[in-house]
C-alpha cells in the first residue's frame, strides 16, 4: 500500500543547477547590495549570483508573471547596508500582487515575509524605494490601473520579529498610467521626500511629501516627446555654494535628460519668483519651509532607439564614512547598446565614455541596465530573455570585458532529454529554441563543484518547440525535435560541438575522438527566410562560404555567417545565439497537425512521434527507422492527442497515453529487412481525466500513469493480452503532469518514481514490485520518501522529469534528476539516498 508518512527522511535533495531566462519586460531586474541579482522568470522570482554565474534559487508565491523586482537595499544604497544581517526583496506581478521576501546573509536562507495588502487592480509596472536608515525604508509602486501607492516599511530588530508595513499615500494618476518611479530625500535637511514619476503622457511629474504621506503635486517637467521609460534620482551633491540632487530621465524619443533640483533658502524665494531669470531656469516648488529650483542640466543624445533604462552609478564611500555620488550614469537601449556617460572635466559637458553591446544579429535590444554595488560591473537583460555582463578589468583606464552569466529559456520549457551517457541535457521550449546544458570543470576557487552552463543552442526555430528526443545507440550525437508544424526535424552534432563537449567532459574523450575523425561538418548556418539550418563543411575555406550581398536577398533579410568554433570555456550569449547551431539532416513528413510528442527506443533504432489530434485518424503514432528515416509503422488506437510515449527498457513494448483517458500498449518486433512488426496488445481506460504522463520500470514490465485526476496508477504487463492494475498511489493535491521511474536494485525490483505536478511541486516515491513464490506480482510497496522543498521546485506546472543515465547507480548513493516546467526553468537535482 502507499503511504506518505513513512521514511520521509531517507533522502536528501540538493539543487545542482537552474537554467532560466528573464521575463521580457522593463523593471524586471534588480541588483541588490548583497551582490545578488533578482529577476522574474514567468511567475517565479529567480536569484542570480554574478560571481559564479549561477542561479541560486527561485522563490515561489506569485500566480501571475513577475513584472518587476526591487531590492531593499539595492546597489544604490549598499553604503547603508554594511551592518545589515537581513536584506529584503519586493516583487510585483501581472495580477497586481506585491510580495516581500527576506534574505538572511549568514545562512543564505529565504523567507516569504508578507503579501502587500490592498493590491493593485492591474499589473504592477514599477517598484522603487529609498532606504531611510538600516531599520526602515519607503517604497512606491505603480500599476496600469492608474494608481501609485507609497508605503513605509519598518524592518524587525531581531531575526524573529515581523516587518511593519503601512500605506501612507495612494495617488490617482488618471487614464495615462505611470510606468517609471523614483524616490529621493530632498536636500537641505527638510525631511521631505520627492517622488518622480513618468509614463504615457511624456511628462515627468514631481510630487513632494513626508514619510507620513501627504504627497502633493510640485511641478511637471516637459521636454521628452515620447513615453517616459525610466527615472533615477542621485544622492545629494555638494556644489559650489549649493546643494542639489540630479534626476535622470529616459524616453522612447531616444533621448536622455538630466534635471537639477537645487535647494534655495526661503528668503530668496520671493525675490526670484518675480524675476524672469527664475522662469528661464525652470519651475520652482516649495516643500515645507524650503524652496527648490528645477533646471535642465543636460540633454544626452547617442542612442538610436528607445532608451529603456537609466541609472546613476552607486555612491562610493570615502574615508570610511563620507559618501560620494559619482557623476556617472548608465543607459540601456533597444539599439543593443549600453552607454556610460560622464561630464567632461574641463567643459562639464556630458559625453559618452564607454559603449558596450553592439550585438549584431543575435539580440533585439536591451530592456534594462544595472550597476553592481561596487560599480565595477554592468548587467543588461535583453529581448531574448538573456543577460549580458561586462566587468571593468582595466587598471589605469576603463577596459570592459564580457563575462559569463547564467542563461535559459524565456518561455515555457516543454521537454528535456539526457544524452546517451548523461553528458548533457537537451531542452526544447516555446521560445523556439533548443538548448544544451552541461557541467563544466571548475577553474575557480569560488566554485565548490563543477558548475552547469549552457554550451550550445543547436536549434533556433520559427515555431514553438513542443518535444525533443535524443537518439540512443552508437554513432554521432543526434536528436529529433517537433514543433508547432507538421514536420519532425533531425539534427546531428557538428565537429565544433564535439570539440567543445570534450572540454566539458574532460577525461572521457576517447569516444569523442573517434567521432571527431568521422564528422566532416563544422557547424551550421540559418537561412534568412527559411527554417532549415544548413551545414558548414570543415574542408571548405571561409572565403568560399561567405555570402554575397548581391545574391538577390534584401539587405534587411541577410543573416551574418555563423563562425562555429571550439570553446575551451563556457560560451557567452553572443556566441551561443549564432555560432553553436547544429545542421539539420532530415525532415520527417507524415503528420496532419503540429507535433506534440516524441520518443526513441533504447537501442537507437526507432523513433515514435505523435501530433495534436481531435479524431482517431489524426491521433495515430508514426514509427520512423533511425538512419534511413523511413516510416515503418502507423499505430492506431486513440481518438485524441497522444500526450506521451515511452518504450520499455527491453524495447519489446511501446506505452502510449492520451487525452482520451486511455493508455495503449503495443508489442514491437524487428522483422528485419527494414520492417517492424507491431501489434496493439491492450487499450484500456485508466483515469477519469486526461492522462499526461507515463513511465516504465527499468527492471520489468511494470509502468506508471499520471493524470489530471490527481492520481498515479501502477500497472503490469502479465501476458500478451492482459494488463493488471497493481495499485493506485494516494491522491495528490494537484494534477500529475510528469513521471519518471529509475531502478535502484534489480534483484528486489526496487526503484524511485518521481512525480511532478501542476502546482510545480515534485515528490519522490519508493516502489518495490516483488513477486510471490508462484511468480505472481504482489501489490507493490510504495512510500513517499521525500517531498521537495517548494524553494527547490518549479513555480508552474512541471512539464517533464527524467533521470540521468548511469551504470553506477547500484554503487553510488547519489543520482541526478532533471526537470523542466512552464516557469521557463530547467533544473537538475542531486538525490542522495541512504
Amino acid at each position: 500500500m502507499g503511504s506518505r508518512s513513512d521514511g520521509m527522511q531517507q533522502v536528501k535533495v540538493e539543487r545542482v543547477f537552474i537554467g532560466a531566462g528573464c521575463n521580457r519586460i522593463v523593471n524586471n531586474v534588480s541588483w541588490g547590495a548583497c551582490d545578488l541579482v533578482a529577476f522574474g522568470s514567468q511567475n517565479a522570482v529567480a536569484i542570480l549570483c554574478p560571481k559564479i554565474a549561477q542561479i541560486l534559487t527561485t522563490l515561489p508565491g506569485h500566480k501571475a508573471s513577475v513584472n518587476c523586482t526591487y531590492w531593499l537595499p539595492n546597489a544604490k544604497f549598499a553604503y547603508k547596508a554594511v551592518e545589515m544581517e537581513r536584506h529584503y526583496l519586493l516583487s510585483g506581478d501581472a495580477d497586481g500582487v506585491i510580495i516581500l521576501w527576506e534574505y538572511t546573509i549568514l545562512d543564505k536562507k529565504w523567507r516569504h515575509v508578507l503579501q502587500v495588502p490592498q493590491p493593485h487592480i492591474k499589473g504592477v509596472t514599477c517598484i522603487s524605494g529609498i532606504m531611510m536608515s538600516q531599520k526602515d525604508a519607503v517604497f512606491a509602486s505603480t500599476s496600469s490601473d492608474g494608481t501609485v501607492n507609497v508605503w513605509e516599511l519598518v524592518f524587525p530588530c531581531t531575526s524573529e520579529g515581523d516587518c511593519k508595513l503601512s500605506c501612507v499615500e495612494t495617488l490617482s494618476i488618471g487614464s495615462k498610467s505611470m510606468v517609471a518611479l523614483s524616490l529621493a530625500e530632498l536636500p537641505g535637511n527638510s525631511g521631505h521626500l520627492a517622488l518622480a514619476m513618468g509614463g504615457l503622457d511624456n511628462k515627468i511629474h514631481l510630487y513632494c511629501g513626508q514619510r507620513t504621506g501627504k504627497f502633493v503635486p510640485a511641478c511637471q517637467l516637459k521636454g521628452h516627446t515620447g513615453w517616459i521609460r525610466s527615472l533615477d534620482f542621485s544622492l545629494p551633491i555638494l556644489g559650489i555654494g549649493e546643494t542639489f540632487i540630479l534626476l535622470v530621465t529616459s524616453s522612447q524619443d531616444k533621448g536622455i535628460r538630466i534635471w537639477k533640483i537645487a535647494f534655495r533658502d526661503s528668503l530668496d524665494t520671493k525675490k526670484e519668483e518675480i524675476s524672469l531669470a527664475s522662469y528661464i531656469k525652470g519651475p520652482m516648488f516649495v516643500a515645507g519651509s524650503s524652496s527648490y529650483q528645477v533646471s535642465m542640466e543636460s540633454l544626452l543624445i547617442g542612442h538610436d532607439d528607445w532608451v529603456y533604462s537609466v541609472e546613476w552609478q552607486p555612491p562610493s564611500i570615502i574615508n570610511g564614512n563620507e559618501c560620494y555620488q559619482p557623476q556617472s550614469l548608465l543607459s540601456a537601449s533597444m539599439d543593443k547598446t549600453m552607454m556610460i556617460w560622464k561630464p567632461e572635466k574641463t567643459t562639464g559637458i556630458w559625453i559618452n565614455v564607454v559603449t558596450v553591446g553592439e550585438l549584431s544579429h543575435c539580440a533585439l535590444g536591451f530592456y534594462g541596465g544595472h550597476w553592481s554595488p561596487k560599480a565595477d560591473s554592468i548587467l543588461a537583460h535583453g529581448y531574448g530573455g538573456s543577460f549580458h555582463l561586462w566587468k571593468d578589468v582595466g587598471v589605469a583606464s576603463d577596459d570592459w570585458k564580457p563575462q559569463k552569466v547564467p542563461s535559459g529559456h524565456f518561455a515555457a520549457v516543454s521537454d528535456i532529454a539526457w544524452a546517451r551517457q548523461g553528458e548533457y541535457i537537451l531542452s526544447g521550449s516555446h521560445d523556439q529554441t533548443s538548448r544544451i546544458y552541461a557541467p563544466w570543470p571548475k577553474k575557480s576557487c569560488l566554485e565548490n563543484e563543477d558548475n552547469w552552463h549552457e554550451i550550445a543552442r543547436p536549434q533556433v526555430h520559427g515555431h514553438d518547440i513542443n518535444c525533443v528526443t535524443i537518439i540512443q545507440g552508437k554513432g554521432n550525437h543526434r536528436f529529433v525535435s517537433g514543433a508547432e508544424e507538421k514536420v519532425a526535424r533531425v539534427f546531428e552534432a557538428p565537429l565544433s560541438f564535439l570539440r567543445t563537449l570534450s572540454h566539458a567532459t574532460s577525461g572521457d574523450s576517447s569516444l569523442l575522438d573517434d567521432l571527431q575523425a568521422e564528422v566532416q561538418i563544422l557547424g551550421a548556418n540559418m537561412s534568412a527566410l527559411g527554417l532549415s539550418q544548413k551545414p558548414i563543411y570543415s574542408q571548405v575555406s571561409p572565403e568560399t562560404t561567405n555570402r554575397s550581398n548581391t545574391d538577390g536577398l534584401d539587405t534587411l533579410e541577410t543573416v551574418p555567417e555563423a563562425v562555429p568554433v571550439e570553446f575551451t570555456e563556457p560560451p557567452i550569449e553572443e556566441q551561443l545565439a549564432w555560432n553553436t547551431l547544429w545542421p539539420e539532416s532530415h525532415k520527417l513528413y507524415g503528420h496532419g497537425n503540429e507535433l506534440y510528442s516524441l520518443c526513441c527506443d533504447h537501442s537507437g533504432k526507432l523513433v515514435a512521434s505523435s501530433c495534436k489530434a481531435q479524431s482517431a485518424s489524426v491521433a495515430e503514432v508514426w514509427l520512423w527507422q533511425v538512419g534511413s528515416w523511413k516510416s515503418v509503422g502507423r499505430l492506431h488506437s486513440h481518438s485524441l492527442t497522444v500526450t506521451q510515449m515511452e518504450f520499455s527498457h527491453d524495447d519489446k513494448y511501446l506505452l502510449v497515453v492520451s487525452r482520451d483517458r486511455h493508455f495503449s500498449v503495443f508489442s514491437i518486433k524487428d522483422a528485419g529487412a527494414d520492417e517492424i512488426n507491431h501489434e496493439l496488445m491492450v487499450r484500456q481506460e485508466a483515469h477519469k481525466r486526461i492522462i499526461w504522463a507515463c513511465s516504465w520500470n527499468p527492471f520489468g514490465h511494470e509502468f506508471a500513469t499520471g493524470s489530471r485526476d490527481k492520481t498515479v496508477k501502477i500497472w503490469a504487463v502479465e501476458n500478451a493480452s492482459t494488463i493488471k492494475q497493481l495499485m493506485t498511489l494516494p491522491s495528490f493535491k494537484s494534477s500529475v503532469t510528469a513521471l519518471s521511474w529509475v531502478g535502484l536494485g534489480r534483484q528486489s525490483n526496487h526503484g524511485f518514481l518521481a512525480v511532478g505536478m501542476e502546482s510545480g511541486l515534485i515528490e519522490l516515491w519508493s516502489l518495490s514490485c516483488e513477486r510471490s513464490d508462484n511468480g505472481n506480482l504482489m501489490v507493490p510497496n510504495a512510500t513517499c520518501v521525500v517531498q521537495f522543498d517548494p524553494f527547490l521546485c518549479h513555480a508552474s506546472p512541471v512539464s517533464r522529469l527524467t533521470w540521468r543515465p548511469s551504470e553506477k547507480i547500484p554503487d553510488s548513493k547519489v543520482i541526478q534528476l532533471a526537470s523542466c516546467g512552464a516557469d521557463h526553468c530547467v533544473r537538475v537535482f542531486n538525490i542522495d539516498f541512504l
Side-chain angles (χ1 to χ4, degrees):
M1 298 298 290
S3 170
R4 278 192 173 83
S5 58
D6 302 328
M8 290 290 283
Q9 301 300 320
Q10 296 178 3
V11 170
K12 181 183 178 182
V13 181
E14 293 180 330
R15 175 204 64 84
V16 175
F17 168 70
I18 301 173
C22 182
N23 289 343
R24 301 190 292 173
I25 192 167
V26 189
N27 303 320
N28 188 244
V29 176
S30 180
W31 200 327
C34 56
D35 210 15
L36 297 180
V37 175
F39 66 95
S41 179
Q42 225 298 321
N43 63 324
V45 180
I47 307 299
L48 180 162
C49 179
K51 287 183 179 178
I52 59 173
Q54 294 290 296
I55 297 174
L56 301 181
T57 189
T58 55
L59 311 179
H62 289 283
K63 295 180 180 178
S65 180
V66 176
N67 285 348
C68 48
T69 61
Y70 193 85
W71 277 98
L72 290 172
N74 62 0
K76 181 178 181 179
F77 296 101
Y79 71 97
K80 288 189 176 182
V82 178
E83 297 178 359
M84 289 184 68
E85 298 177 354
R86 293 175 297 279
H87 290 218
Y88 296 86
L89 176 67
L90 292 158
S91 57
D93 68 24
D95 281 348
V97 173
I98 300 174
I99 295 178
L100 178 67
W101 311 87
E102 180 185 85
Y103 175 65
T104 308
I105 300 293
L106 290 178
D107 58 13
K108 299 180 180 179
K109 288 188 177 180
W110 284 90
R111 181 172 71 93
H112 179 291
V113 178
L114 56 85
Q115 179 175 316
V116 175
Q118 305 169 20
H120 290 283
I121 299 172
K122 295 182 180 179
V124 182
T125 53
C126 183
I127 300 174
S128 183
I130 178 173
M131 293 290 295
M132 306 303 296
S133 69
Q134 293 190 7
K135 297 181 180 179
D136 57 350
V138 174
F139 71 90
S141 62
T142 184
S143 164
S144 47
D145 63 9
T147 62
V148 174
N149 292 336
V150 183
W151 303 82
E152 184 182 32
L153 179 62
V154 180
F155 305 130
C157 298
T158 63
S159 58
E160 298 178 356
D162 294 327
C163 291
K164 296 179 180 178
L165 181 68
S166 55
C167 182
V168 297
E169 189 71 82
T170 297
L171 303 172
S172 181
I173 305 304
S175 59
K176 294 191 175 181
S177 59
M178 300 292 110
V179 295
L181 299 173
S182 186
L183 278 162
E185 288 185 274
L186 286 169
N189 298 319
S190 64
H192 283 74
L193 300 178
L195 170 63
M197 59 182 77
L200 280 55
D201 63 357
N202 306 348
K203 303 173 186 175
I204 296 104
H205 301 262
L206 274 181
Y207 284 74
C208 290
Q210 296 173 299
R211 291 178 54 177
T212 55
K214 300 177 182 177
F215 280 81
V216 295
C219 62
Q220 293 182 0
L221 307 181
K222 301 177 183 179
H224 286 293
T225 57
W227 290 3
I228 310 300
R229 300 310 310 226
S230 182
L231 303 160
D232 192 31
F233 277 114
S234 72
L235 292 180
I237 299 170
L238 292 174
I240 301 175
E242 62 178 355
T243 303
F244 60 91
I245 57 175
L246 295 176
L247 171 66
V248 60
T249 62
S250 69
S251 166
Q252 289 181 188
D253 64 9
K254 309 176 188 178
I256 300 169
R257 291 173 182 259
I258 300 175
W259 310 83
K260 180 179 177 181
I261 303 175
F263 168 70
R264 300 295 178 94
D265 60 39
S266 56
L267 295 176
D268 294 336
T269 304
K270 296 177 182 178
K271 298 176 184 177
E272 288 193 331
E273 279 180 348
I274 60 174
S275 68
L276 183 62
S278 64
Y279 292 102
I280 293 175
K281 287 182 179 179
M284 296 187 66
F285 65 90
V286 176
S289 59
S290 303
S291 64
Y292 298 88
Q293 173 84 58
V294 183
S295 58
M296 196 176 116
E297 178 79 3
S298 188
L299 171 62
L300 313 184
I301 302 295
H303 286 292
D304 297 326
D305 209 333
W306 298 355
V307 184
Y308 265 135
S309 85
V310 281
E311 188 174 288
W312 289 104
Q313 180 178 327
S316 305
I317 298 177
I318 300 176
N319 300 327
N321 295 321
E322 296 183 22
C323 185
Y324 166 70
Q325 171 67 64
Q327 292 205 34
S328 170
L329 62 90
L330 175 70
S331 62
S333 167
M334 284 300 281
D335 67 3
K336 311 169 192 174
T337 64
M338 284 202 302
M339 295 181 179
I340 297 176
W341 305 79
K342 293 181 180 180
E344 207 267 330
K345 290 184 179 179
T346 55
T347 63
I349 297 174
W350 286 77
I351 58 172
N352 168 27
V353 294
V354 175
T355 301
V356 295
E358 301 167 333
L359 301 176
S360 70
H361 190 81
C362 66
L364 292 175
F366 294 145
Y367 277 125
H370 303 273
W371 292 96
S372 67
K374 295 181 180 179
D376 58 352
S377 298
I378 51 176
L379 177 76
H381 63 106
Y383 181 83
S386 57
F387 286 105
H388 308 262
L389 179 68
W390 288 268
K391 186 173 183 178
D392 184 8
V393 297
V395 180
S397 60
D398 287 349
D399 185 12
W400 296 85
K401 297 293 185 184
Q403 306 292 312
K404 287 187 299 184
V405 278
S407 60
H409 294 286
F410 57 90
V413 188
S414 50
D415 205 355
I416 50 172
W418 284 98
R420 296 169 301 199
Q421 297 178 346
E423 307 100 309
Y424 58 82
I425 295 173
L426 171 71
S427 61
S429 165
H430 292 169
D431 69 2
Q432 305 184 348
T433 68
S434 62
R435 306 181 187 226
I436 289 177
Y437 303 94
W440 200 277
K442 63 179 180 179
K443 294 182 179 179
S444 167
C445 59
L446 292 173
E447 302 175 19
N448 297 324
E449 55 190 16
D450 294 353
N451 280 331
W452 285 67
H453 298 278
E454 183 181 351
I455 64 168
R457 202 166 295 170
Q459 185 182 11
V460 177
H461 203 40
H463 297 290
D464 294 2
I465 297 174
N466 290 329
C467 46
V468 293
T469 187
I470 287 180
I471 307 302
Q472 305 299 311
K474 298 179 180 179
N476 193 10
H477 295 262
R478 291 172 292 180
F479 76 90
V480 185
S481 77
E484 288 190 342
E485 55 179 347
K486 302 175 184 180
V487 185
R489 299 173 186 267
V490 185
F491 297 86
E492 187 163 340
L495 192 57
S496 58
F497 172 78
L498 296 175
R499 290 171 176 169
T500 300
L501 187 62
S502 67
H503 291 286
T505 57
S506 55
D508 302 328
S509 58
S510 56
L511 178 61
L512 290 169
D513 291 340
D514 295 338
L515 287 175
Q516 290 177 34
E518 301 172 6
V519 176
Q520 299 298 316
I521 297 175
L522 185 62
N525 268 317
M526 173 69 77
S527 59
L529 300 176
L531 297 170
S532 298
Q533 295 171 192
K534 306 299 183 183
I536 301 173
Y537 291 95
S538 55
Q539 68 269 25
V540 179
S541 62
E543 289 79 6
T544 61
T545 61
N546 286 338
R547 301 173 187 172
S548 170
N549 287 331
T550 59
D551 60 1
L553 290 175
D554 185 342
T555 55
L556 292 176
E557 295 293 343
T558 57
V559 175
E561 267 315 288
V563 186
V565 294
E566 170 186 353
F567 295 110
T568 56
E569 58 183 26
I572 59 176
E573 178 67 24
E574 290 80 353
Q575 298 162 330
L576 285 167
W578 205 246
N579 298 329
T580 60
L581 295 172
W582 288 20
E584 182 183 311
S585 60
H586 293 85
K587 295 182 179 69
L588 309 182
Y589 295 95
H591 286 288
N593 286 329
E594 57 262 37
L595 272 290
Y596 193 82
S597 179
L598 286 164
C599 73
C600 179
D601 68 358
H602 297 83
S603 59
K605 296 179 179 178
L606 288 176
V607 168
S609 63
S610 70
C611 70
K612 291 183 179 179
Q614 292 187 346
S615 64
S617 60
V618 182
E620 58 190 359
V621 174
W622 286 58
L623 296 179
W624 309 88
Q625 185 181 51
V626 174
S628 69
W629 298 108
K630 296 177 181 178
S631 171
V632 292
R634 295 167 67 175
L635 314 183
H636 298 268
S637 177
H638 296 281
S639 57
L640 294 174
T641 304
V642 169
T643 53
Q644 192 178 354
M645 304 170 289
E646 189 173 301
F647 286 91
S648 62
H649 284 253
D650 57 8
D651 292 334
K652 290 183 178 180
Y653 303 111
L654 174 63
L655 172 62
V656 179
V657 296
S658 167
R659 296 178 69 99
D660 63 11
R661 308 175 186 179
H662 290 70
F663 71 76
S664 302
V665 178
F666 294 87
S667 64
I668 307 293
K669 295 180 181 178
D670 188 350
D674 295 344
E675 290 187 7
I676 297 293
N677 289 336
H678 53 83
E679 180 184 356
L680 175 62
M681 290 174 49
V682 174
R683 177 180 185 269
Q684 183 169 330
E685 184 171 1
H687 292 270
K688 297 177 181 178
R689 304 290 299 277
I690 294 171
I691 306 176
W692 285 124
C694 62
S695 186
W696 284 97
N697 174 12
F699 296 148
H701 290 150
E702 300 82 32
F703 61 88
T705 57
S707 166
R708 182 180 279 176
D709 65 9
K710 304 179 182 180
T711 63
V712 172
K713 297 183 179 181
I714 312 298
W715 313 79
V717 179
E718 288 202 313
N719 51 53
S721 60
T722 307
I723 301 289
K724 178 184 178 182
Q725 181 179 344
L726 298 181
M727 70 174 303
T728 301
L729 297 185
S731 183
F732 293 83
K733 295 180 180 179
S734 181
S735 300
V736 176
T737 54
L739 294 172
S740 187
W741 199 329
V742 64
L744 301 177
R746 185 176 293 274
Q747 291 184 347
S748 59
N749 202 2
H750 171 243
F752 282 164
L753 179 66
V755 180
M757 287 168 271
E758 191 175 30
S759 61
L761 299 180
I762 300 172
E763 291 187 8
L764 207 58
W765 286 74
S766 172
L767 292 177
S768 296
C769 301
E770 300 177 357
R771 292 184 178 271
S772 60
D773 295 338
N774 58 9
N776 294 327
L777 273 169
M778 299 187 296
V779 176
N781 292 321
T783 305
C784 180
V785 291
V786 68
Q787 295 174 337
F788 286 26
D789 188 314
F791 283 85
L792 292 174
C793 294
H794 294 273
S796 292
V798 181
S799 303
R800 190 75 76 231
L801 293 167
T802 179
W803 294 93
R804 186 175 189 174
S806 175
E807 301 298 326
K808 302 177 181 178
I809 287 179
D811 304 322
S812 172
K813 289 188 176 182
V814 179
I815 53 179
Q816 288 189 329
L817 174 69
S819 68
C820 66
D823 59 357
H824 308 178
C825 292
V826 173
R827 299 169 188 262
V828 180
F829 306 97
N830 271 349
I831 311 297
D832 190 350
F833 57 95
L834 301 177

